[in-house]
């Protein structure tokens, strides 16, 4: 009789709910922030702005993979799936994920979902997208989708960070997107990039909540209004719990109503994922 304890452990295989994909590239922005892209299975469909579970196969000695929800930063039609991630030194996933390299295996959930999608906001004139930190990710997807420009006259991408070097994708929004074969021309006319930094000098400083409450945001955009306008303005929010809570309260005080996939509204929100 064979002693089962001597048998080699079976190789770990992903569950039926996951694809096993490969890393295509990694870009480190700072010691706290990086982007990466993975291969996209033919069968994988999502709407720009959605999130999906991402993870790594179990480390030696572990039996279960660790997965976390990540917003997909690439648009719905892109060949590769791109993500923006924080690095947390003792984070269950990102302590390992931050070391991935081209060719490494990454797990991809099969069920993307989310509310930061064009379907969840009512038709309007202006689409404001406010992200703090890695909360920019879903808006990288929506802002590279031609539907954003056909649905709205103006598309505003606000990115709020503590330090200037955390303004990831600044080159995309100040240069590269205008040369994009799909949305370049529209972006030149309709896209406004609105970065702000809170903890060091920059051309624009302050939290979005303050920039909105003081009316500075509207003045900066040349809009003749002191508040959001329920008739024309639609808003998407992504960031920390506190950010979302404070922004939602402010936006609601302007009379806007939260939407969902089932019932599109004036604004939608989602927490940026951490850990
Ligand atoms: P601040 O530097 O004043 O805290 P974090 O890294 O903590 O998620 O913050 C990212 C950005 O979001 C920072 O610029 C931060 O400003 C801002 N922020 C954090 N919490 C809030 C909030 N409740 N309302 C508005 N902005 C916020």
């Amino acid at each position: 009789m064979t002693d089962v304890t001597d048998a080699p452990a079976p190789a770990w295989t992903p569950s039926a709910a996951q694809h096993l994909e490969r890393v295509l590239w990694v870009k480190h922005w700072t010691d706290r922030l990086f982007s990466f892209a993975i291969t996209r299975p033919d069968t994988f469909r999502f709407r720009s702005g959605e999130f999906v579970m991402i993870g790594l196969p179990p480390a030696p000695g572990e039996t279960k993979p660790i997965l976390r929800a990540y917003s997909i930063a690439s648009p719905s039609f892109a060949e590769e799936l791109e993500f923006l991630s924080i690095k947390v030194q003792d984070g269950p996933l990102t302590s390992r994920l931050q070391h991935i390299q081209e060719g490494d295996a990454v797990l991809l959930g099969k069920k993307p979902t989310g509310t930061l999608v064009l379907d969840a906001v009512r038709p309007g004139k202006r689409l404001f997208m406010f992200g703090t930190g890695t909360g920019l990710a879903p808006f990288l997807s929506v802002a590279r989708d031609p539907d954003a420009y056909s649905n709205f006259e103006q598309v505003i991408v606000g990115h709020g960070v503590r330090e200037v070097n955390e303004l990831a994708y600044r080159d995309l929004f100040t240069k590269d997107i205008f040369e994009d074969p799909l949305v370049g021309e529209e972006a030149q006319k309709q896209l406004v990039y609105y970065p702000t930094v809170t903890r060091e000098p920059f051309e624009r400083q302050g939290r979005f909540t303050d920039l909105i409450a003081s009316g500075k945001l509207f003045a900066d955009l040349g809009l003749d209004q002191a508040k959001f306008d329920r008739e024309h303005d639609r808003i998407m929010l992504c960031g920390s719990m506190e950010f979302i809570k404070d922004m939602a309260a402010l936006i609601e005080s302007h009379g806007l109503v939260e939407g969902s996939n089932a019932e599109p509204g004036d604004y939608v929100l989602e927490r940026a994922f951490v850990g």
Side-chain angles (χ1 to χ4, degrees):
M1 214 173 98
T2 328
D3 181 350
V4 288
T5 55
D6 288 342
W12 180 85
T13 49
S15 82
Q18 295 148 12
H19 296 284
L20 191 61
E21 298 303 313
R22 293 282 156 195
V23 175
L24 292 168
W25 55 261
V26 184
K27 178 180 167 84
H28 293 272
W29 301 96
T30 69
D31 57 2
R32 290 184 52 213
L33 205 58
F34 73 111
S35 292
F36 62 96
I38 62 171
T39 48
R40 177 178 184 166
D42 290 342
T43 53
F44 187 85
R45 298 269 174 278
F46 72 101
R47 296 176 298 168
S48 296
E50 286 190 317
F51 65 86
V52 68
M53 301 306 285
I54 283 286
L56 289 171
E62 289 172 10
T63 50
K64 278 195 191 155
I66 302 167
L67 291 124
R68 290 284 182 274
Y70 270 88
S71 287
I72 304 169
S74 37
S76 62
F77 48 83
E79 261 178 50
E80 54 188 44
L81 300 172
E82 183 178 343
F83 302 91
L84 172 61
S85 179
I86 193 120
K87 304 177 197 176
V88 182
Q89 291 322 319
D90 56 358
L93 178 61
T94 65
S95 59
R96 283 181 57 209
L97 193 66
Q98 64 183 288
H99 300 297
I100 54 168
Q101 295 187 344
E102 188 184 333
D104 286 353
V106 167
L107 298 171
L108 169 71
K110 288 188 178 171
K111 287 208 162 79
T113 182
T115 51
L116 301 179
V117 292
L118 293 167
D119 290 347
V121 288
R122 297 195 296 128
K125 240 192 206 175
R126 279 178 292 272
L127 176 64
F128 292 88
M129 298 183 270
F130 296 107
T132 55
T134 57
L136 178 70
F139 309 139
L140 290 163
S141 177
V142 176
R144 289 188 272 188
D145 189 323
D147 286 349
Y149 302 92
S150 45
N151 287 14
F152 292 93
E153 286 175 21
Q154 199 172 35
V155 174
I156 299 116
V157 176
H159 192 199
V161 293
R162 297 178 184 194
E163 294 169 12
V164 178
N165 70 359
E166 294 172 310
L167 286 174
Y169 293 93
R170 207 170 154 193
D171 281 352
L172 172 74
F173 286 117
T174 53
K175 201 170 67 216
D176 300 342
I177 197 164
F178 304 119
E179 279 143 40
D180 185 288
L182 270 175
V183 297
E185 262 181 56
E186 288 79 1
Q188 283 175 33
K189 293 187 214 115
Q190 296 166 251
L191 176 71
V192 179
Y193 174 55
Y194 194 84
T196 184
V197 175
T198 47
R199 301 197 191 185
E200 56 180 30
F202 186 61
E203 61 196 49
R204 184 177 305 103
Q205 289 180 273
R207 292 176 159 202
F208 285 126
T209 39
D210 296 332
L211 293 165
I212 293 163
S214 68
K216 183 168 175 9
L217 169 89
F218 305 105
D220 285 347
L221 295 173
L223 297 174
D224 187 20
Q225 64 192 61
K227 291 183 162 196
F228 289 114
D229 168 357
R230 189 176 179 201
E231 197 183 338
H232 301 301
D233 296 337
R234 302 292 168 257
I235 307 169
M236 294 183 177
L237 306 174
C238 190
S240 66
M241 243 5 183
E242 296 72 34
F243 170 71
I244 283 172
K245 193 163 69 69
D246 292 349
M247 283 288 279
L250 185 58
I251 290 166
E252 297 224 344
S253 77
H254 295 189
L256 280 74
V257 176
E258 188 177 353
S260 66
N261 278 295
E263 201 170 334
D266 308 320
Y267 80 95
V268 284
L269 53 82
E270 226 154 63
R271 204 188 146 195
F273 305 105
V274 289

